[in-house]
Amino acid sequence: MNLKEVSELRRRFRMDRNAISRIYGCFVNSSREIVSYIDESMGILPQDEAEKYLNLLKKALSGKLGKNLIDIIFSTEQVADSDEHRLLMALRDSELKDGEIREEFYQKIINSLDLGDSNYLILLAYDTYDVPHKNKNDEMDADASDAVFSYVVCCVCPVKERKVELGFFPGDNEFHSCAGQIVAAPELGFLFPAFDDRAANIYNALFYSRKTDEIHQEVIDSVFHTTAPMSAAEQKEAFQNALSEALGDACNMELVQSIHDRLRDQIEQYKESHDSELLELSVSDAAAILRDNGVEEEKILAFRDSCATQFGDGATLNPANLIDSSRFEVKTADATISVDPEHSYLVETRIIDGRKYLLIPADEDIEVNGFGVRVKGE
């Protein structure tokens, strides 16, 4: 799915736009026991409660593609004959109305999910979307539909204890102590099937994880029986390992600055283009950056081999997962220096009298903890 398709579905999670008739789910305690079930008609729920359910489900389609939102791909064999795909199709085809199928799905989540000592809420909803036709100008015609997209969306939300606080009770016209449990934003969730090319793709699902460095592989294993792509944090670490192992001493400050600047430029140009497709960087593109910086071909070949080992042959990477384009930070054992990425070139390395130093020009005013100071001898 691309950004436009995700955004198109997110817009459905409003009271006047969705076709969700019921909300299903269950409340699970930290001992993995189901405390209670949810089976609520959206038509009779108070509007504020219905909107809260919709907002929780909508958040399972939030975040950045390739970071929070991850493509789950089923093999042809799984789609043809597998318990995991059959269960997901049964959830959709039954419109979530079959209690036994819902229970089987809940148990898959409960038996695999690790949220520590947290209680949590599993939510499920089924929706049908009359996909509007798009004209030659990429404008939607609400009166013409190309197809109907039927899908299931799920989210898992931690349920947290609220601190005892004073609350106003209108009936008594007084303030009293009150406490309780509140539902937090989803920790994970998914959409099935995927909405690719504005149509159902039963070979894919879209998985959501609130934390980009913790994508709950245990749930992906249980529900989808497939290996998810590396998390953003894992991609960054693997890329850094490939550079440092292959380049050795050639992996210096100047080279890392150049790589950071080139990738940051790509990210900025991508943002300005408003392209809905995911930004990609091939290993050959990364190798070209090294070549432009004078790295020896032997080391470039070693880098390509390391990337093949880390990511697989023919892998494409998301530059936004490899660097933090919003900052440039240099750390030593005793100090951390943060520089505006646009001015990363100001940081230099020097060896003076046999010691390594980081140098930054100090032509402008200098402050120490907000106090203006002068350079000795100035």
Side-chain angles (χ1 to χ4, degrees):
M1 290 178 64
N2 61 37
L3 185 58
K4 284 185 178 180
E5 291 161 345
V6 173
S7 298
E8 186 173 345
L9 284 189
R10 277 176 54 83
R11 288 193 290 270
R12 291 202 45 78
F13 289 86
R14 288 174 38 178
M15 293 296 293
D16 58 340
R17 291 192 176 182
N18 72 83
I20 297 173
S21 61
R22 303 192 75 84
I23 295 289
Y24 300 95
C26 63
F27 176 38
V28 184
N29 65 22
S30 57
S31 300
R32 298 188 172 184
E33 300 167 333
I34 295 179
V35 178
S36 64
Y37 290 92
I38 294 174
D39 183 351
E40 299 280 2
S41 169
M42 289 287 282
I44 62 175
L45 276 175
Q47 182 171 339
D48 61 334
E49 290 184 20
E51 288 177 346
K52 284 181 171 60
Y53 279 123
L54 290 177
N55 285 334
L56 290 171
L57 292 166
K58 181 180 179 179
K59 286 179 181 176
L61 296 175
S62 63
K64 296 181 178 179
L65 287 172
K67 285 193 171 185
N68 307 94
L69 296 171
I70 303 165
D71 275 326
I72 300 294
I73 303 173
F74 293 103
S75 67
T76 303
E77 292 76 13
Q78 283 180 295
V79 174
D81 183 21
S82 70
D83 291 338
E84 60 274 10
H85 197 271
R86 206 161 18 245
L87 175 59
L88 292 171
M89 289 296 292
L91 285 171
R92 188 192 72 158
D93 294 345
S94 68
E95 302 180 8
L96 298 178
K97 294 177 181 178
D98 190 315
E100 290 185 5
I101 295 174
R102 295 199 307 271
E103 184 67 28
E104 182 181 350
F105 172 75
Y106 295 152
Q107 292 303 324
K108 275 187 172 288
I109 297 285
I110 294 168
N111 293 336
S112 60
L113 180 59
D114 182 9
L115 286 184
D117 295 328
S118 177
N119 302 332
Y120 57 88
L121 178 66
I122 302 174
L123 289 178
L124 277 172
Y126 168 82
D127 187 26
T128 55
Y129 176 31
D130 287 327
V131 183
H133 173 74
K134 278 191 175 183
N135 60 28
K136 294 180 180 179
N137 297 323
D138 204 31
E139 297 172 342
M140 291 191 188
D141 183 358
D143 296 326
S145 175
D146 283 335
V148 176
F149 174 58
S150 302
Y151 63 97
V152 171
V153 62
C154 170
C155 67
V156 179
C157 309
V159 177
K160 300 180 179 180
E161 291 286 346
R162 185 175 64 179
K163 294 180 180 178
V164 177
E165 298 173 340
L166 281 177
F168 183 69
F169 289 74
D172 299 333
N173 207 29
E174 296 174 347
F175 286 90
H176 300 288
S177 295
C178 57
Q181 300 186 66
I182 58 173
V183 180
E187 186 71 20
L188 66 150
F190 71 88
L191 169 84
F192 176 82
F195 187 53
D196 288 332
D197 295 326
R198 307 184 69 239
N201 177 5
I202 63 172
Y203 285 81
N204 284 52
L206 188 67
F207 188 82
Y208 166 79
S209 176
R210 185 178 67 84
K211 299 177 182 177
T212 58
D213 59 346
E214 186 180 339
I215 60 173
H216 292 284
Q217 181 65 50
E218 76 277 12
V219 175
I220 295 173
D221 288 339
S222 177
V223 175
F224 305 105
H225 285 218
T226 186
T227 301
M230 285 183 176
S231 69
E234 290 171 333
Q235 288 181 41
K236 184 177 182 179
E237 183 180 0
F239 183 72
Q240 291 173 342
N241 288 341
L243 283 172
S244 59
E245 291 173 3
L247 305 187
D249 294 341
C251 194
N252 53 40
M253 171 73 79
E254 291 72 20
L255 176 60
V256 172
Q257 283 173 318
S258 179
I259 294 171
H260 189 278
D261 289 345
R262 290 279 289 273
L263 296 185
R264 182 175 173 275
D265 285 343
Q266 289 186 20
I267 294 168
E268 293 302 314
Q269 291 173 18
Y270 170 75
K271 289 179 180 178
E272 292 173 2
S273 71
H274 301 291
D275 190 345
S276 61
E277 298 297 332
L278 193 64
L279 177 61
E280 293 184 342
L281 174 82
S282 69
V283 174
S284 296
D285 294 334
I289 297 175
L290 301 182
R291 191 172 292 109
D292 292 343
N293 281 273
V295 176
E296 300 172 3
E297 286 298 326
E298 182 180 354
K299 293 184 182 295
I300 293 175
L301 181 60
F303 167 73
R304 295 178 69 109
D305 290 342
S306 182
C307 284
T309 301
Q310 301 272 8
F311 302 107
D313 292 330
T316 55
L317 311 174
N318 183 349
N321 290 348
L322 306 182
I323 65 166
D324 185 345
S325 62
S326 63
R327 66 173 182 163
F328 187 84
E329 187 176 88
V330 183
K331 282 187 177 182
T332 71
D334 303 309
T336 299
I337 301 171
S338 294
V339 183
D340 186 324
E342 291 187 3
H343 302 125
S344 63
Y345 61 87
L346 293 175
V347 184
E348 299 180 37
T349 54
R350 296 277 183 86
I351 296 178
I352 303 174
D353 297 333
R355 296 188 67 183
K356 293 182 288 185
Y357 287 88
L358 291 172
L359 300 182
I360 302 176
D363 299 327
E364 305 295 332
D365 295 338
I366 303 173
E367 291 185 358
V368 176
N369 292 336
F371 186 78
V373 298
R374 299 178 67 84
V375 176
K376 189 175 180 180
E378 185 178 3

